Amino acid sequence: SSGINAEYGEEKKRKKRKKKKGIAVLSEDPTLMATGEEEEKRGITYKIMKNKGLTPHRKKEQRNPRVKHRKKFDKALKKRRSQIPDLREQGGSYGGEKSGIKSALTKSTKLR
């Protein structure tokens, strides 16, 4: 038990020296850590958090690139559909205008 106490005292002194120098000290030695047993996400440090700066609030769609581009494509499709009518397959013989013939509508210009 005296060997363990001696090691503990040395470790404590080493940590104190490193702390004085401003070097962050890990509580566990990375070489002794178990590999792959417990993999949790490491939290960000204060320095990283402050370095991020001010960022504007964004919608959830903007944070997901796949969804963002899908919405962008849908918007472009709607824009295109308003400019160019969709091609319709004509089945069988001519069945007239789908909306019917409007007798009050004139699409020609009068000649003078």
Side-chain angles (χ1 to χ4, degrees):
S1 74
S2 64
I4 294 170
N5 288 338
E7 285 179 33
Y8 177 74
E10 287 173 25
E11 185 68 21
K12 201 170 184 181
K13 286 176 187 175
R14 186 181 65 80
K15 282 184 183 181
K16 240 183 196 179
R17 275 185 265 131
K18 277 195 174 183
K19 213 171 197 178
K20 280 183 182 178
K21 288 181 184 177
I23 300 169
V25 181
L26 293 172
S27 59
E28 294 177 0
D29 188 11
T31 55
L32 301 175
M33 287 177 65
T35 55
E37 286 180 17
E38 294 178 24
E39 290 187 20
E40 291 183 30
K41 285 190 175 182
R42 198 179 77 188
I44 62 168
T45 62
Y46 180 79
K47 191 175 179 182
I48 293 170
M49 188 173 67
K50 286 296 164 187
N51 191 38
K52 191 175 182 184
L54 296 172
T55 55
H57 181 265
R58 290 185 175 87
K59 294 178 185 176
K60 194 171 183 182
E61 295 165 4
Q62 295 297 100
R63 291 179 292 182
N64 185 345
R66 182 182 53 80
V67 174
K68 180 183 176 183
H69 288 297
R70 191 175 71 198
K71 296 276 183 188
K72 196 175 177 181
F73 176 73
D74 288 341
K75 189 177 174 184
L77 261 183
K78 285 175 191 172
K79 211 182 248 188
R80 188 176 183 281
R81 283 184 186 146
S82 69
Q83 293 168 352
I84 303 163
D86 290 335
L87 294 173
R88 294 182 189 147
E89 293 287 326
Q90 186 176 344
S93 61
Y94 181 69
E97 294 297 316
K98 298 289 178 192
S99 59
I101 298 169
K102 297 173 187 139
S103 59
L105 182 69
T106 309
K107 288 196 173 184
S108 61
T109 55
K110 289 189 176 183
L111 298 172
R112 291 187 186 174

